[in-house]
Structures are given as C-alpha cells and as structure tokens.
C-alpha cells in the first residue's frame, strides 16, 4: 500500500515532466562570496549539501538572478568590477518557450533547443540581462524564468497560512481557468453597469446640465477641427515662417563664409593647410594623422556648404501662408487657454469631451431598463460563482485526500485535513468569487479540526507544504524544480520518506534540493558539495560534484559531524547501496 500511494502522487507528474528539458549548467563569477563556480547539472535529483554557513543556497541565489530577481551592488564580490551569472537550459520539449523566443527574435538558429541566460551586475549596482546573447529587460527575463524553473524557498510553506494563498492553491489544483475567467468577466460587467446605474440615479440633473455644456464645447471644437499632431506641426511651421528672413540671411552668410568668399572661405583655408602640411609630412611622418583629419574636415565643409545651398534654395518665404498659419496657431492657443490645457493636448481633450458627450446621450434612456440589466448581470455573476464554488469544493476534497495519503508516509498517519469552502452571497462581490477558504487540520486522534495555523507545528507544516508541492508540481509544467531546505523540521524515518519522494520526483523531472539531512542527500542522483574557504582576509565559497567515495564521506559527516567514525562511514555506504 505504501508504494502504491507514493506512485499515485507521481502518476500525472511523469507524463508532463518527461523529456530532456532541464537546467544544463550554471556559472557564477564574483557573486557575493563566490569567486568562480561552474556546475553541470544532471537529470534527476541533485542534492546540495555543506556545512552550516557555507552558502549552500548560493546556486539558488545566482539562478534567481538569471530568472529576474532584483540585484544591487552588494551582490558583487569585494574588490571585483562586476558579478555575472550564466545559466544554460535545454528547451527541446518546451514549444511555448521556443515560440516566445522566436517571436522576440531571441532564439539561437544554430542551437534552437538550447537557451542561455546571462545576468551581469556592476560594482555600482547597475544590471544587464541577456537571453542568447541579446539584451533584454528584467520583465522579459521574469516571463521566461517562470517557464523554466520553479523555486520553493525555505519558508514557502508558510504561505499556506494565508487565506489568499489557500484560495490560489485550490484554484491551481482545480485547474478551472475558464470558470475563473467567466466569474471575473461577469463581475467586471456587473460592476461597470451597476456603477453606471448608480451614477445616473444620483446625478440626473447634473448629467443634463453637463450634457448641455458639452454640446456647445464639442460643436465649437468640431468646427475648429484640430487634427491629431496638427498643433505640433503648426508650431514648427509658425516658428520657421516667423524667422524665415533671418534663417535665409544667416544661412546665406554661413554659405558665403564656408564656400563663396573668394579670399578667406573656410574650405580654401583648410585645403591650404592640407597642401602645406603634406609638404611638411615628408620631413615628419607624425603629421600624417593631422593631414587626414584636415582632409576629412574639408570634405565635411564642402558637404555642409552644399546642404546650406539647397536649404537656401528651398526656403520659402510666403506672407500669405504665414498669415494662415499664425491665425490657426493663435486659435489653437485660445482654445487651449479656454479649456485650461496645453495646446498639444487639445486634440485629446476634444476627443475625450466628444466621447463623454456621446456617452451621456446614449445613457439618457430609461433607468428602469438599466436596473433590469443590473439584475440580469448580478444573476449571471451569482450563477458563475456558484459553479466556481462547486468546482473548488470538489477539488478541495480530492486534494485533501491526496495530502492525507502523502503526509501519512511522513510520520503523520493520524492527520485529517479538509478544505472548508464557504460560499457566502452576503459578502462584498469579488472578481474571484464569493468563497472563503480555510484549511482545517487535526493531527492527533480525538482532537477536533481547527484552522491549520492553530494546529500544526513548524515541522508538520513543512511536511504538509512539501506534500502539496509534490502533488501540484505537475500543474506548473516547469521542467526544473528547486527546493531550498524544505526538509527543515524533519528527521529520522520521516526524512527518509521525504528523500524517497524527492528521488521519485527526480525520476521524472529535474529536481534540485538544498538539504542538511543525510537521508535526503543519499537519495540524490547527483550530489553537490558547497565549501567555504578563508585565509583570514578573504572568504570564498566553492561548489563541486562529489564522486562515490566523496559522497560516502560527506554523508558520514552529516550523520556524525566533523569527526568521522567507522560506523558513520559504514552507515553512509549502506544508505547509498539501498538507494542504488
């Protein structure tokens, strides 16, 4: 029965997590206490161990940066110019990721099944992000990251104590996005119609007065007919026409000085310098760069003179056009002052007033008809929320039973758990329905159920949280799962069960787990060891993969402490043999 229960939890996970999708490698340079670390990850369960304070979570912290976490100058190793983190992923079986990369022109044509994320933080705290070598924003990094890695931190299980997290968990497990969308849509429709009805009821006379004022203002602006972006063009043309004579005279004078002055134009002076310096260049070759610069200058002066000639030829001084532009420009300024807006915003104000006027005219119908519409939309909302509540109740029963079966294998065999879904139409309407959720638990026979925060200890909460993470992991469809010391508060036979659960999960997806428990560490397909070195002046954290012999000694250390005994080593060897 024990094996069947465990396999039941993983049945659906195996299907969704099959394939080669995984984190391939992680390289960290000058990040916090890390000088240089490179780790190649394998499929399955990778366990990370090390002494307390060695920085076992450094890989997770670095990977979090690659997934869009915030960074500052403190992330850069002391005396280093910058920190960098590079994560490589296999995305062969992730069509959604590949399509997203392709849409943003970020996919690697030479390696379309791989994705490389790089994050660089300068000593000043500036950050840059790259996907496949191309610069991206942090928001884009976060979008991609949520499809590649799911990180469950040390205290993630404490979220179970929050009502909104409990509701989110139930909705995630129920997997009813269509119902959630329908409820949200009907709520928004009802809210908008109800708000419109309330406004019409309270402000009928004000609405009529406003409609009359808008009628005059919109008609006046319609006649003027200012187009989008027209004022900016008017302003440019007005300034040009107003200064056209000065522009022409100054441009002609500049052309004269650059090109036409027979005695001292700029072009001839520069060319003269070129000729003279070219003769001197035979005596001193270091003049060559200067001659080159002057030749370029002569070309630029000649091109500028030609452009000035064209500018003067094309400059049109039209008094009639000036009068037309000035008149319309002044009208626009007058309307802007009248409506107390910037002239460049006058078009938008016109459109907004016209829209408001049209809305007021359209809403002048019968309040009775609107009241009937409000009631109809309320009935629709209530019907949708009732369906959503039923789905939550059904999902809650199934999820509760699976949690009970899972934690029973973690030395909580007397646990009873229930998702209490309370559907209450008297509470304020919400976009996510009318349910309040409570997780009710009892862990001892004969004790009544109570809300989870009043019943479970930290270790029990950790076990329930881990069970939920394993049970619901298939819903995320994320190829790499990371658990940061989620086994806190667990020991003995329970730790062995937790390790077994994680290993079985690792058989179907890539899992990384930071742990201090030998029972969990022994279950890893791969074991990484984190060590902190110091010479009294500097500190450096390293990470490396352990071979079989090194694993035995590390497990023995976890079992017996720093002083290794023959019995601890024998015990460690036995633990590894049982797993293999």
């Amino acid at each position: 029965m024990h094996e069947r229960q465990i396999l039941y939890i993983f049945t659906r996970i195996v299907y969704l997590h099959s394939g080669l999708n995984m984190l391939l490698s992680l390289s960290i340079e000058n990040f916090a206490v890390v000088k240089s670390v490179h780790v190649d990850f394998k499929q399955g369960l990778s366990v990370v161990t090390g002494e307390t304070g060695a920085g076992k979570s450094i890989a997770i912290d670095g990977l979090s940066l690659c997934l869009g976490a915030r960074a500052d100058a403190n992330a850069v190793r002391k005396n280093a110019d910058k920190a960098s983190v590079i994560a490589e992923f296999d995305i062969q079986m992730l069509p959604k990721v590949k399509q997203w990369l392709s849409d943003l022109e970020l996919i690697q044509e030479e390696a379309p099944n791989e994705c490389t994320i790089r994050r660089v933080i300068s000593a000043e705290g500036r950050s840059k992000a790259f996907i496949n070598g191309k610069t991206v924003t942090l928001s884009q990094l976060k979008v991609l990251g949520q499809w590649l890695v799911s990180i469950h931190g040390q205290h993630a299980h404490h979220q179970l104590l929050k009502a909104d997290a409990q509701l989110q968990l139930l909705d995630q497990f129920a997997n009813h996005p269509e119902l959630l969308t329908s409820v949200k849509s009907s709520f928004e429709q009802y809210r908008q119609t109800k708000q419109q009805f309330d406004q019409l009821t309270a402000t009928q006379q004000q609405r009529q007065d406003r409609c009359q004022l808008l009628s005059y203002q919109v008609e006046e602006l319609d006649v003027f007919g200012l187009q989008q972006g027209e004022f900016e063009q008017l302003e440019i043309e007005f300034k040009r026409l107003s200064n056209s004579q000065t522009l022409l005279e100054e441009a002609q004078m500049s052309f004269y000085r650059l090109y036409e002055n027979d005695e001292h134009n700029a072009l001839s002076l520069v060319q003269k310098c070129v000729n003279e310096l070219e003769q001197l260049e035979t005596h001193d070759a270091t003049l060559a760069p200067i001659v080159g610069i002057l030749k370029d200058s002569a070309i630029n002066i000649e091109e500028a003179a030609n452009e000035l000639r064209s500018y003067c030829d094309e400059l049109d001084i039209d008094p009639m056009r000036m009068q037309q532009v000035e008149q319309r420009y002044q009208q626009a300024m007058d309307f802007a002052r009248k409506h107390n807006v910037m002239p460049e915003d006058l078009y938008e104000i016109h459109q907004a007033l016209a829209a408001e006027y049209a809305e007021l005219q359209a809403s002048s119908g019968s309040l009775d008809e609107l009241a009937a519409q409000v009631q109809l939309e309320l009935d629709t909302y209530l019907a949708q929320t009732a369906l959503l509540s039923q789905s939550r109740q059904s999902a809650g029963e199934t999820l509760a039973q699976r949690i009970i079966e899972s934690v029973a294998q973690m030395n909580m065999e007397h646990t009873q758990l229930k998702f209490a879904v309370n559907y209450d139409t008297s509470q304020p309407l919400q976009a996510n329905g009318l349910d309040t959720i409570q997780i009710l638990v009892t862990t001892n026979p004969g004790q009544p159920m109570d809300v989870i925060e009043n019943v479970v200890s930290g270790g029990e909460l950790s076990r329930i949280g881990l069970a939920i993470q394993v049970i619901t992991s298939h819903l995320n469809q994320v190829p790499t799962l990371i658990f940061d010391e989620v086994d806190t508060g667990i020991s003995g036979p329970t730790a062995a069960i937790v390790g077994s659960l994680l290993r079985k999960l690792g058989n179907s997806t890539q899992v990384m787990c930071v742990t201090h428990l030998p029972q969990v560490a022994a279950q890893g397909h791969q074991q990484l060891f984190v060590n902190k070195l110091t010479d009294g002046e500097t500190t450096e954290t390293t990470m490396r993969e352990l071979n079989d012999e090194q694993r035995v000694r590390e497990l023995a250390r976890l079992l017996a402490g720093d002083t290794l005994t023959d019995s601890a080593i024998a015990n460690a060897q036995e633990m590894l043999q049982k797993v293999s």
Side-chain angles (χ1 to χ4, degrees):
M1 181 61 181
H2 167 73
E3 185 70 11
R4 289 199 302 270
Q5 288 174 333
I6 294 177
L7 290 175
Y8 179 73
I9 296 173
F10 293 94
T11 300
R12 295 178 66 189
I13 300 176
V14 173
Y15 173 75
L16 289 168
H17 286 287
S18 58
L20 300 177
N21 309 311
M22 60 182 290
L23 171 64
L24 298 173
S25 67
L26 183 67
S27 299
I28 304 176
E29 300 285 340
N30 296 321
F31 175 63
V33 292
V34 172
K35 184 177 182 181
S36 180
V37 162
H38 176 85
V39 181
D40 292 318
F41 292 96
K42 298 178 180 178
Q43 186 74 11
L45 172 62
S46 297
V47 293
V48 181
T49 62
E51 296 181 356
T52 301
K56 294 189 291 295
S57 297
I58 196 69
I60 297 177
D61 296 337
L63 188 57
S64 296
L65 280 180
C66 279
L67 303 179
R70 294 186 61 182
D72 54 38
N74 293 329
V76 182
R77 182 177 171 84
K78 185 178 179 180
N79 298 326
D81 295 332
K82 62 183 180 180
S84 68
V85 184
I86 302 174
E88 295 181 320
F89 295 88
D90 185 305
I91 58 171
Q92 181 175 352
M93 305 294 289
L94 296 175
K96 185 176 182 180
V97 171
K98 295 174 75 172
Q99 184 61 53
W100 185 83
L101 292 173
S102 178
D103 291 342
L104 295 179
E105 298 182 351
L106 295 173
I107 201 161
Q108 301 180 103
E109 294 184 2
E110 67 281 5
N113 293 326
E114 295 182 7
C115 177
T116 301
I117 300 176
R118 181 164 66 99
R119 185 86 180 273
V120 179
I121 302 97
S122 71
E124 295 76 26
R126 293 188 296 272
S127 170
K128 291 184 179 179
F130 306 86
I131 296 177
N132 291 333
K134 296 183 180 179
T135 304
V136 295
T137 64
L138 282 187
S139 59
Q140 290 172 322
L141 211 56
K142 290 178 181 179
V143 169
L144 177 60
Q146 69 181 352
W147 296 328
L148 297 175
V149 178
S150 178
I151 298 177
H152 304 275
Q154 296 182 26
H155 306 293
H157 50 273
H158 288 292
Q159 294 294 318
L160 287 174
L161 305 180
K162 299 180 180 179
D164 56 345
Q166 295 171 3
L167 181 62
Q168 184 179 4
L169 167 64
L170 207 51
D171 283 335
Q172 180 190 33
F173 183 78
N175 195 22
H176 48 207
E178 297 84 3
L179 275 176
L180 288 170
T181 300
S182 297
V183 169
K184 182 178 181 180
S185 177
S186 60
F187 169 77
E188 290 296 335
Q189 187 62 46
Y190 166 78
R191 185 182 61 81
Q192 293 174 11
T193 305
K194 183 65 164 59
Q195 185 179 36
Q196 183 183 7
F197 174 77
D198 292 341
Q199 290 175 347
L200 288 175
T201 302
T203 61
Q204 272 189 297
Q205 184 57 49
Q206 294 179 7
R207 182 170 51 83
Q208 292 173 358
D209 295 340
R210 178 66 174 166
C211 192
Q212 185 175 2
L213 173 62
L214 287 174
S215 174
Y216 167 76
Q217 291 179 329
V218 171
E219 182 178 1
E220 189 177 43
L221 290 171
D222 284 344
V223 172
F224 182 55
L226 187 70
Q227 300 300 308
Q228 186 174 19
E230 182 183 351
F231 177 80
E232 289 83 354
Q233 295 302 318
L234 278 173
E235 189 172 33
I236 293 171
E237 188 174 7
F238 177 72
K239 289 181 180 179
R240 182 173 59 81
L241 291 174
S242 298
N243 297 278
S244 57
Q245 189 62 43
T246 301
L247 290 170
L248 180 60
E249 292 173 358
E250 292 297 332
Q252 289 175 336
M253 181 57 69
S254 295
F255 175 72
Y256 176 77
R257 291 168 179 163
L258 288 173
Y259 193 80
E260 279 202 336
N261 188 333
D262 294 334
E263 297 182 0
H264 300 294
N265 69 73
L267 179 61
S268 63
L269 289 174
V270 172
Q271 289 175 335
K272 181 179 180 181
C273 290
V274 170
N275 295 334
E276 292 174 351
L277 289 174
E278 280 183 330
Q279 295 178 6
L280 294 175
E281 186 181 347
T282 59
H283 304 297
D284 188 353
T286 60
L287 289 172
I290 300 175
V291 172
I293 293 173
L294 287 174
K295 287 182 177 179
D296 291 341
S297 299
I299 294 172
N300 290 333
I301 290 173
E302 187 170 9
E303 289 181 354
N306 291 333
E307 292 294 329
L308 274 175
R309 180 192 289 118
S310 299
Y311 175 80
C312 294
D313 292 343
E314 296 173 2
L315 191 61
D316 184 19
I317 301 177
D318 185 350
M320 182 64 69
R321 177 59 183 168
M322 174 61 195
Q323 183 179 359
Q324 294 172 347
V325 170
E326 183 178 13
Q327 181 180 5
R328 188 157 180 80
Y329 178 79
Q330 190 58 51
Q331 284 180 311
M333 295 291 289
D334 292 342
F335 275 116
R337 282 192 294 270
K338 183 175 182 178
H339 289 276
N340 195 28
V341 297
M342 298 297 292
E344 53 267 28
D345 297 331
L346 191 59
Y347 174 81
E348 284 74 16
I349 290 298
H350 180 196
Q351 301 307 307
L353 293 176
E356 183 183 357
Y357 178 58
E359 183 179 353
L360 286 174
Q361 285 184 311
S363 65
S364 60
S366 171
L367 281 176
D368 293 338
E369 293 180 0
L370 195 56
Q373 182 67 23
V374 169
Q375 185 60 49
L376 177 62
E377 291 173 0
L378 176 60
D379 292 341
T380 300
Y381 170 79
L382 292 175
Q384 294 294 329
T385 56
L387 291 174
L388 177 61
S389 182
Q390 292 171 11
S391 179
R392 285 170 173 165
Q393 291 175 23
S394 176
E397 293 173 0
T398 303
L399 178 57
Q401 185 58 39
R402 293 190 184 181
I403 294 172
I404 291 170
E405 293 172 355
S406 181
V407 298
Q409 310 308 317
M410 291 185 276
N411 200 27
M412 293 178 65
E413 61 273 9
H414 300 299
T415 298
Q416 294 298 314
L417 184 142
K418 175 183 179 182
F419 284 86
V421 182
N422 181 31
Y423 180 69
D424 184 5
T425 58
S426 65
Q427 67 170 312
L429 307 189
Q430 301 290 334
N432 59 356
L434 297 174
D435 293 315
T436 55
I437 309 296
Q438 288 183 314
I439 299 180
L440 303 179
V441 179
T442 178
T443 56
N444 298 304
Q447 294 297 318
M449 280 190 168
D450 198 354
V451 290
I452 188 170
E453 59 265 32
N454 294 341
V455 175
V456 299
S457 64
E460 290 170 335
L461 181 61
S462 179
R463 278 174 270 179
I464 292 174
L466 179 60
I468 290 174
Q469 289 166 358
V470 172
I471 292 168
T472 61
S473 62
H474 69 283
L475 299 172
N476 296 322
Q477 300 186 27
V478 177
T480 300
L481 306 177
I482 297 178
F483 298 93
D484 187 6
E485 296 196 12
V486 294
D487 50 19
T488 300
I490 299 173
S491 60
T494 303
I497 295 296
V498 170
S500 177
L501 285 172
L502 290 172
R503 183 176 179 88
K504 286 186 179 294
L505 183 57
N507 288 334
S508 55
T509 189
Q510 186 184 39
V511 180
M512 183 195 305
C513 178
V514 176
T515 183
H516 62 281
L517 298 177
Q519 297 91 334
V520 174
Q523 296 288 342
H525 297 92
Q526 173 189 34
Q527 185 166 350
L528 304 169
F529 178 72
V530 177
N531 189 31
K532 183 165 67 175
L533 306 173
T534 181
D535 58 7
E537 295 182 359
T538 61
T539 300
E540 180 180 347
T541 291
T542 63
M543 177 182 286
R544 70 180 190 276
E545 182 178 2
L546 301 181
N547 58 31
D548 292 342
E549 181 180 349
Q550 291 168 335
R551 286 193 71 181
V552 169
R553 298 187 66 82
E554 171 61 5
L555 289 177
R557 185 191 68 81
L558 292 174
L559 286 165
D562 293 336
T563 302
L564 300 185
T565 63
D566 292 340
S567 61
I569 291 176
N571 194 1
Q573 291 173 333
E574 183 180 359
M575 293 174 70
L576 288 175
Q577 288 173 358
K578 286 182 178 180
V579 171
S580 60

